[in-house]
Amino acid sequence: MTPELQAMADKIKQSVELLRRRLDWDVASKRLDELNALSEDPTFWNDAENAQKLMRERTKIVNAMDDIKALESEVSDAAEMYEMAELEEDDSLKEDIVESMTAALERAERAELSALLSGEVDGNDCFVEINAGAGGTESQDWANMLRRMYVRWANAHGMKVEELDSHDGEEAGIKSATLKFSGENAYGWLKSESGVHRLVRISPFDSNAKRHTSFSSVSVSPVLDDTIDVDIEEKDVRTDTYRASGSGGQHVNKTDSAIRLTHEPTGIVVQCQSDRSQHKNRASAWNMLRARIYELEMRKREEAAQANADAKTDIGWGHQIRSYVLQPYQMIKDLRTGVETSDTKGVLDGDLDKFLAASLAAAVGGEGDS
């Protein structure tokens, strides 16, 4: 192989060795056999919640092992194919091999980052709350653009998105929205998105075509299971009911099915109106509240706790984590990692991986330094 291809092959092999060590192949294989045996038990699904948890664990192991096998096969096949291309003097095949190895190297790097998602709740689903900052229609439209961006990112990664709550703006966009993202490592990947996002563009709502700056905040918290105990006193929580807004049928709009919970000691407010049943909305809201309080406690233990808290209370200048400039030039830059791109359309269409990967790598590096 050429020096370029050999270098890529060596990097992929290094990634595979690292992935095998982190997975602990022998232990993972034994655990997979145990999970397969459990799933064949006729009573396995009697406890649906526990069964789903075990099946998620099984899926995670299978995906990790499949990734390693695929990368090993990619390197082996590339070497054999290149020898064939040399014998047949087939330049187009050589180009295909380079493209294939480049894609494999990118997958290996992403798999390495995924293997770093070993936090207590990194593998969990998550809630993403988006709030428009001051600025009326401009910020509300920007909040809606952020919602679309995250939904598209989730769709590209095979995740399920459920909208639990949304409040439309007066003219356009949204005042706020709460989404639930379900998929492997959803919280681990999205947790670094918490903070204020700043947009600079020519306003489509300004007849004078002037440049406007808008802010919206994003808050990400993990969906918690029964293994994590969050103690909340019911007397500390105020419950309000109201009529759900937007589409959802006559029953939704004629009854007070929507639920708002206010945790008075912390001031945290969550609300849910996604279901016609007040009982189901109440259960979802309590899950969201537990998640928000858990996330708050985690941030208190981190060095950046105060900065994150400030970002959530002041949606404006000096608190943004990422800047999206569409005018007078095209540039999106993460102010924490320095990662930037001129492909603004791609990012707003959900291509967030470069930013998420950089934030994860930086966070892991910071933990290692500490």
Side-chain angles (χ1 to χ4, degrees):
M1 291 195 291
T2 64
E4 177 191 12
L5 274 175
Q6 188 60 56
M8 285 194 284
D10 290 342
K11 287 182 180 179
I12 294 173
K13 288 178 181 177
Q14 291 172 3
S15 293
V16 166
E17 291 176 5
L18 183 61
L19 291 170
R20 275 183 170 273
R21 288 199 304 271
R22 286 183 179 149
L23 180 63
D24 198 335
W25 188 275
D26 292 339
V27 173
S29 296
K30 183 178 179 180
R31 179 57 176 164
L32 182 58
D33 290 339
E34 292 174 355
L35 292 170
N36 286 335
L38 286 171
S39 65
E40 292 170 2
D41 188 320
T43 65
F44 179 70
W45 286 100
N46 289 353
D47 184 349
E49 187 174 341
N50 186 58
Q52 290 173 354
K53 179 182 176 182
L54 292 175
M55 291 305 291
R56 284 196 297 270
E57 181 186 354
R58 180 188 179 279
T59 299
K60 189 171 184 177
I61 294 174
V62 168
N63 288 345
M65 297 181 82
D66 285 349
D67 284 345
I68 290 171
K69 292 175 183 176
L71 291 170
E72 289 175 330
S73 177
E74 194 87 41
V75 173
S76 176
D77 291 348
E80 294 177 7
M81 293 292 287
Y82 196 84
E83 287 183 14
M84 185 186 302
E86 286 274 71
L87 290 172
E88 298 178 4
E89 299 181 351
D90 188 339
D91 291 337
S92 64
L93 179 56
K94 291 179 181 178
E95 292 176 1
D96 289 343
I97 295 169
V98 171
E99 289 182 8
S100 177
M101 287 291 281
T102 301
L105 181 56
E106 291 176 355
R107 292 202 311 275
E109 291 171 345
R110 182 174 176 84
E112 273 195 59
L113 287 169
S114 293
L116 296 174
L117 295 171
S118 56
E120 185 179 24
V121 290
D122 280 350
N124 291 23
D125 299 338
C126 68
F127 300 113
V128 174
E129 182 181 337
I130 302 168
N131 287 285
T137 302
E138 286 294 331
S139 293
Q140 291 164 13
D141 186 53
W142 172 223
N144 193 42
M145 291 168 66
L146 285 173
R147 176 173 64 176
R148 175 182 177 274
M149 179 180 76
Y150 290 123
V151 169
R152 291 212 165 192
W153 175 85
N155 291 340
H157 290 82
M159 293 188 184
K160 176 185 174 184
V161 182
E162 178 185 1
E163 185 167 88
L164 300 178
D165 186 67
S166 180
H167 296 273
D168 294 337
E170 286 83 0
E171 296 181 35
I174 56 172
K175 294 179 180 177
S176 65
T178 302
L179 309 173
K180 180 182 178 182
F181 289 72
S182 302
E184 186 177 353
N185 294 326
Y187 177 69
W189 281 112
L190 289 174
K191 63 184 178 182
S192 64
E193 290 299 289
S194 290
V196 175
H197 298 247
R198 168 180 173 255
L199 173 71
V200 180
R201 64 171 176 173
I202 298 295
S203 171
F205 307 102
D206 187 340
S207 58
N208 295 319
K210 291 184 178 180
R211 197 161 65 240
H212 286 251
T213 299
S214 307
F215 299 93
S216 287
S217 71
V218 175
S219 176
V220 183
S221 51
V223 175
L224 303 180
D225 54 34
D226 291 337
T227 62
I228 298 174
D229 184 35
V230 178
D231 187 24
I232 304 175
E233 296 283 347
E234 288 196 26
K235 64 180 178 62
D236 292 335
V237 180
R238 186 177 75 248
T239 302
D240 299 304
T241 60
Y242 59 97
R243 292 186 181 183
S245 60
S247 60
Q250 293 181 341
H251 178 72
V252 170
N253 293 323
K254 288 186 176 180
T255 63
D256 292 340
S257 59
I259 294 291
R260 180 186 298 111
L261 300 179
T262 303
H263 187 243
E264 295 183 336
T266 62
I268 291 175
V269 179
V270 298
Q271 43 199 17
C272 182
Q273 59 171 328
S274 63
D275 202 278
R276 295 185 178 187
S277 164
Q278 185 186 106
H279 177 72
K280 290 182 178 178
N281 284 335
R282 186 186 300 273
S284 294
W286 270 97
N287 287 336
M288 291 161 59
L289 182 59
R290 289 176 64 238
R292 288 287 301 277
I293 291 177
Y294 176 83
E295 188 252 350
L296 177 64
E297 291 303 313
M298 284 198 303
R299 284 193 290 109
K300 285 181 178 178
R301 296 197 300 263
E302 297 171 357
E303 294 181 356
Q306 192 57 51
N308 287 341
D310 289 345
K312 290 185 177 182
T313 55
D314 185 3
I315 308 176
W317 289 100
H319 299 279
Q320 61 266 21
I321 63 169
R322 191 175 302 140
S323 182
Y324 305 70
V325 180
L326 307 185
Q327 290 288 342
Y329 54 88
Q330 303 269 313
M331 181 65 68
I332 297 177
K333 181 173 182 177
D334 194 290
L335 305 178
R336 301 160 301 176
T337 63
V339 172
E340 59 183 43
T341 179
S342 59
D343 182 19
T344 56
K345 182 179 184 303
V347 172
L348 293 174
D349 280 340
D351 185 10
L352 287 169
D353 285 358
K354 60 176 70 68
F355 294 106
L356 301 182
S359 293
L360 176 59
V364 172
E367 291 170 6
D369 292 342
S370 63

